[in-house]
Amino acid sequence: METKKVWFVTGASKGLGLSLVKQLLDAGHKVAATSRNLSDLQKAVSAESESFLPLAVNIKSEESVEEAITRTVSKFERLDVVVNNAGYGLVGSLEELSDRESRENFDVNVFGLLNVIRKALPQLREQKQGHIINIASIAGFSGLFPGFGIYCATKFAVHGLTESLAAEVKPFGIHTTLVSPGYFRTDFLTSGSLGTPENPLEAYKEVRQTQQMHQEDINGNQPGDPEKAVEVIIKASESKNPPLHLFLGEDSYQLAQDKINLLNKDLEDWKELATKTGFEYAS
């Protein structure tokens, strides 16, 4: 039985996406990989093979995404695993980030991902099998990060739509996995992957401290090994019953547990009042 699959990976020229593409090619899989800049992708992967299809794609454009999916299926004759990895971080308070800055983060992190899902699903439904893996973040489960409100909002959106997607595509034999990494040692916190406000406000000292901590202290010192993270993602894709929720990293697990504990506390503290909100009917 053929165990090698056809993968479609966005945001593949750096970070987790690049590590994933390299490991997949080394394992003999067929990979279509996308980046905004084709030369960056070709330089990063440096693999000339019939199993590798590098694609310049603007995920904000439905036409660009559709063309990439069409070329992938035309070359490899099928599509097995779609990985939505493209995205970027944005740090800044909700007040100081402009409407344009905020919408751009959503356009890439949420609506770009949706473009890929829309264009890939007809092929996956026709095959009656496949796997969609959405790379979110622990910041899509816990939003207690000052200065990351918009970024958290994009990743919370990815969490919500992925859960609904899982329920929608299950009847077609399509698996769905939501990956929520913690801090992994990639270039995610560098200027090329982390946006900052054009008009910062001096009043937000805590936000500036958070920004400085991420750019100067955490960057380059993240505890997570991206190569190991990719190994887990690949193993999840090979499982007969892949997880819907895949938290990656000890820090991600701890932050998730902290959020669950906070939810439980609020639920219990307000249960007596909050559950007595229904209509009362005379017996």
Side-chain angles (χ1 to χ4, degrees):
M1 183 177 177
E2 178 61 50
T3 58
K4 302 305 179 185
K5 297 178 178 180
V6 176
W7 290 65
F8 183 90
V9 182
T10 68
S13 63
K14 56 187 176 181
L16 284 179
L18 177 58
S19 295
L20 177 60
V21 168
K22 288 182 174 180
Q23 284 196 30
L24 289 172
L25 290 172
D26 287 344
H29 295 282
K30 296 175 181 178
V31 182
T34 83
S35 175
R36 288 171 296 176
N37 189 302
L38 189 60
S39 62
D40 287 348
L41 178 57
Q42 291 170 323
K43 188 184 302 181
V45 178
S46 64
E48 293 186 9
S49 166
E50 281 300 307
S51 296
F52 178 52
L53 177 62
L55 298 164
V57 175
N58 174 12
I59 64 169
K60 295 190 295 181
S61 164
E62 286 188 283
E63 292 77 14
S64 180
V65 171
E66 184 172 22
E67 180 184 357
I69 295 290
T70 300
R71 288 184 59 187
T72 300
V73 176
S74 176
K75 181 175 177 62
F76 298 130
E77 298 183 342
R78 61 180 298 105
L79 182 59
D80 297 303
V81 186
V82 175
V83 181
N84 279 300
N85 175 68
Y88 71 97
L90 181 63
V91 57
S93 72
L94 296 174
E95 181 182 356
E96 63 193 349
L97 286 171
S98 68
D99 180 77
R100 180 187 59 78
E101 290 170 313
S102 302
R103 287 178 184 273
E104 177 67 16
N105 205 213
F106 270 89
D107 282 342
V108 174
N109 292 3
V110 180
F111 294 107
L113 174 144
L114 282 170
N115 284 337
V116 176
I117 290 172
R118 288 193 197 97
K119 300 306 178 182
L121 271 177
Q123 177 66 29
L124 300 182
R125 284 193 295 103
E126 183 180 346
Q127 295 171 177
K128 294 184 171 53
Q129 63 179 3
H131 195 166
I132 297 174
I133 300 175
N134 291 336
I135 309 296
S137 168
I138 184 57
F141 185 75
S142 176
L144 301 175
F145 304 96
F148 282 91
I150 294 299
Y151 176 72
C152 287
T154 67
K155 294 304 183 178
F156 266 75
V158 172
H159 270 242
L161 69 86
T162 303
E163 290 183 353
S164 289
L165 175 68
E168 292 172 0
V169 301
K170 184 178 180 180
F172 304 111
I174 301 169
H175 296 298
T176 309
T177 295
L178 175 65
V179 182
S180 299
Y183 288 106
F184 280 84
R185 199 168 300 177
T186 67
D187 53 6
F188 182 74
L189 296 178
T190 61
S191 59
S193 299
L194 183 66
T196 56
E198 292 181 1
N199 299 297
L201 300 174
E202 292 183 7
Y204 286 98
K205 292 181 172 56
E206 188 175 8
V207 171
R208 295 288 81 75
Q209 290 171 358
T210 297
Q211 179 181 335
Q212 181 179 359
M213 179 179 68
H214 280 80
Q215 292 177 317
E216 298 179 12
D217 300 330
I218 298 176
N219 185 32
N221 295 302
Q222 297 97 322
D225 182 344
E227 299 302 325
K228 292 179 179 178
V230 165
E231 289 175 4
V232 177
I233 293 172
I234 294 174
K235 285 182 180 179
S237 76
E238 296 168 345
S239 172
K240 289 184 179 179
N241 296 296
L244 172 55
H245 294 279
L246 180 59
F247 290 88
L248 286 179
E250 289 186 16
D251 55 345
S252 181
Y253 263 72
Q254 186 58 58
L255 288 166
Q257 193 60 62
D258 291 345
K259 171 66 176 289
I260 292 169
N261 291 339
L262 177 61
L263 282 172
N264 284 332
K265 183 179 185 304
D266 286 345
L267 284 169
E268 289 304 312
D269 287 352
W270 287 86
K271 182 178 180 180
E272 186 175 354
L273 281 174
T275 58
K276 293 180 178 178
T277 52
F279 289 105
E280 295 184 6
Y281 299 94
S283 57

